[in-house]
Amino acid sequence: MSLYCGIACRRKSFWCYRLLSTYVAKTRYLFELKEDDDACKKAQQTGAFYLFHSLAPLLQKSEHQYLPPQHSLLELERLLRKFGQDTQRVEDSVLIGCSEQHEAWFALDLCLNSSSSINASLQKPEMETELKGSFIDLRKALFWLNVKDASLLSTAQALLRWHDAHQFCSRSGQPTKKNMAGSKRVCPSNKIIYYPQMAPVVITLVSDGTRCLLARQSSFPKGMYSALAGFCDIGESLEEAVRREVAEEVGLEIERLKFSASQHWPFPNSSLMIACHATVKPGQTEIQVNVRELEAAAWFSHDEVITALKRNDPYTQQQNEAFPFWVPPKLAIANQLIKEWVEKSTYSSLPA
Ligand SMILES: NC(=O)C1=CN([C@@H]2O[C@H](COP(=O)(O)OP(=O)(O)OC[C@H]3O[C@@H](n4cnc5c(N)ncnc54)[C@H](OP(=O)(O)O)[C@@H]3O)[C@@H](O)[C@H]2O)C=CC1
Ligand SMILES: [Mg+2]
């Protein structure tokens, strides 16, 4: 009897998928592909591949949107041959999800980890012509992609980057070997298993009751302000990390904290963003910017924030000299926090 669902029908697969809900069946199928290299290799035969070049996803423009094209295994092998690469490179691909019909989705970077990466790098324009698309920086692409594709490509980029950066065992110095799905790497000499990692990051929208606090780093695109964010230190709870980050960055003490949501964020090295709302102690609103961390921080009114939320796609708006105040794109959790604050302030200002 199956350990997981009590169904006595283990055959070739781990479980009898027929008897499970669509979501559970999909989850169990992905689990099987991660655990079983043969099942994963088999899934590649009927799977779909998303292509990257130096971590930039391939996108095609169609009417008013950008879409990441899918390639079958046969098409991918033809392309690899055409680009002078070994078809064995398919095994460098990573599993990133599957459809409800169990078509497995993989991602492969045509440049990273290629034995001829210099050639692959030079060939980029030829590849783009052949593929009828462009490899676009993911930070920019996030403005143009729908939620589903953005999430899939973010996972893919994070996983491809992790594999590229973890090719050697930190104990033995020997090359590590990826499993077929790319859910782990193993050192053949000492059997140490390495799993892809995410760094926990807190992101907090601080409010004084009528205004919210937004800040910018010098590395942000011009005019963009976001909620305060910071990596959790070893040994800290989520609450301690938020309290410390707010004190460190803007010199304020927070009073109340409320969890909002979380999000995987692929930049710079895969973070788990944990988003919260916080309030400061009454009357204690004087900001002291830590200039080693931030370029500027300020309180913004409800109306200013509403105007900023309406300014989307600043990459196409930066035509003139002046850069208006704007906030991170819809797909960033900072945007969600800011929207929640605006909605809450709007409702609370309505007469009872
Ligand atoms: N999705 C969203 O809505 C948003 C996401 N973010 C993300 O949040 C993250 C954290 O924000 P940020 O304000 O930069 O963080 P911090 O305020 O913690 O400052 C970053 C500094 O912390 C150091 N650091 C400590 N631990 C790590 C680690 N595990 N990885 C990388 N750097 C570390 C780095 O120092 P050094 O560089 O000297 O090594 C870096 O300069 C960013 O990666 C950003 O992309 C931010 C805002 C919005
Ligand atoms: Mg910070």
Side-chain angles (χ1 to χ4, degrees):
M1 186 180 283
S2 159
L3 180 66
Y4 291 87
C5 58
I7 299 161
C9 62
R10 269 179 181 242
R11 288 193 307 268
K12 280 183 194 152
S13 295
F14 280 19
W15 298 288
C16 177
Y17 292 113
R18 266 182 314 119
L19 302 177
L20 302 171
S21 76
T22 309
Y23 173 74
V24 175
K26 189 174 135 173
T27 308
R28 294 274 170 97
Y29 179 58
L30 287 171
F31 179 85
E32 181 181 346
L33 300 190
K34 286 183 208 161
E35 294 295 306
D36 183 340
D37 282 357
D38 292 335
C40 189
K41 203 164 168 54
K42 194 167 159 223
Q44 289 176 351
Q45 309 285 326
T46 51
F49 291 79
Y50 291 87
L51 301 181
F52 283 69
H53 189 288
S54 307
L55 299 176
L58 176 71
L59 298 182
Q60 288 174 341
K61 194 161 195 281
S62 85
E63 302 253 319
H64 305 295
Q65 57 178 342
Y66 280 86
L67 294 170
Q70 294 183 329
H71 293 86
S72 67
L73 180 65
L74 274 178
E75 284 168 339
L76 178 60
E77 287 175 338
R78 181 190 70 76
L79 288 163
L80 287 171
R81 278 191 288 269
K82 177 140 189 142
F83 301 146
Q85 298 190 18
D86 194 327
T87 52
Q88 279 289 105
R89 287 219 60 221
V90 170
E91 298 200 359
D92 292 334
S93 62
V94 292
L95 176 71
I96 54 170
C98 77
S99 70
E100 290 186 351
Q101 293 72 38
H102 295 189
E103 176 198 57
W105 298 327
F106 299 88
L108 177 68
D109 196 298
L110 293 171
C111 185
L112 291 185
N113 202 26
S114 152
S115 55
S116 52
S117 11
I118 298 173
N119 272 350
S121 168
L122 294 173
Q123 275 182 334
K124 189 175 152 200
E126 286 85 344
M127 287 178 175
E128 289 180 323
T129 309
E130 176 70 24
L131 295 163
K132 300 184 178 63
S134 310
F135 294 105
I136 297 181
D137 179 77
L138 187 59
R139 275 187 193 269
K140 283 190 184 168
L142 285 186
F143 285 97
W144 306 321
L145 291 167
N146 64 43
V147 178
K148 188 180 135 285
D149 288 339
S151 161
L152 201 62
L153 296 183
S154 294
T155 303
Q157 195 209 48
L159 211 44
L160 290 168
R161 180 189 281 113
W162 182 82
H163 281 283
D164 187 49
H166 291 81
Q167 300 199 11
F168 295 90
C169 173
S170 58
R171 184 68 60 82
S172 70
Q174 297 293 313
T176 52
K177 193 172 180 319
K178 157 185 171 298
N179 70 339
M180 196 60 72
S183 57
K184 59 187 168 192
R185 298 187 76 91
V186 181
C187 172
S189 69
N190 57 24
K191 308 287 177 256
I192 293 179
I193 305 174
Y194 294 90
Y195 293 100
Q197 289 167 340
M198 294 197 285
V201 172
V202 289
I203 176 159
T204 316
L205 189 64
V206 178
S207 161
D208 71 350
T210 53
R211 301 169 300 171
C212 76
L213 198 164
L214 297 171
R216 57 172 279 107
Q217 296 177 6
S218 52
S219 58
F220 283 7
K222 292 208 169 93
M224 190 186 91
Y225 279 72
S226 184
L228 299 174
F231 291 91
C232 293
D233 280 350
I234 286 267
E236 265 182 344
S237 68
L238 165 64
E239 294 84 343
E240 287 164 342
V242 173
R243 198 156 180 247
R244 175 185 54 75
E245 276 295 332
V246 175
E248 251 177 40
E249 298 198 343
V250 292
L252 293 173
E253 272 201 57
I254 58 159
E255 197 182 40
R256 273 179 297 149
L257 181 66
K258 191 165 176 280
F259 170 76
S260 166
S262 65
Q263 173 190 52
H264 167 251
W265 190 243
F267 318 111
N269 273 317
S270 215
S271 300
L272 176 63
M273 306 292 307
I274 305 150
C276 303
H277 290 278
T279 51
V280 282
K281 292 188 173 171
Q284 296 185 17
T285 55
E286 194 184 324
I287 298 170
Q288 287 170 31
V289 176
N290 180 343
V291 290
R292 289 178 69 161
E293 295 269 328
L294 299 175
E295 187 182 77
W299 291 105
F300 291 88
S301 72
H302 187 251
D303 289 350
E304 284 172 317
V305 174
I306 288 181
T307 311
L309 279 168
K310 288 183 187 150
R311 290 191 183 107
N312 46 25
D313 199 354
Y315 284 100
T316 55
Q317 290 180 11
Q318 288 177 5
Q319 309 293 348
N320 50 22
E321 294 284 299
F323 290 94
F325 158 50
W326 58 284
V327 293
K330 285 195 185 78
L331 291 161
I333 203 158
N335 185 290
Q336 190 179 319
L337 271 179
I338 294 167
K339 257 200 218 128
E340 278 172 2
W341 177 79
V342 163
E343 279 159 21
K344 191 165 167 285
S345 318
T346 308
Y347 295 135
S348 57
S349 64
L350 289 175

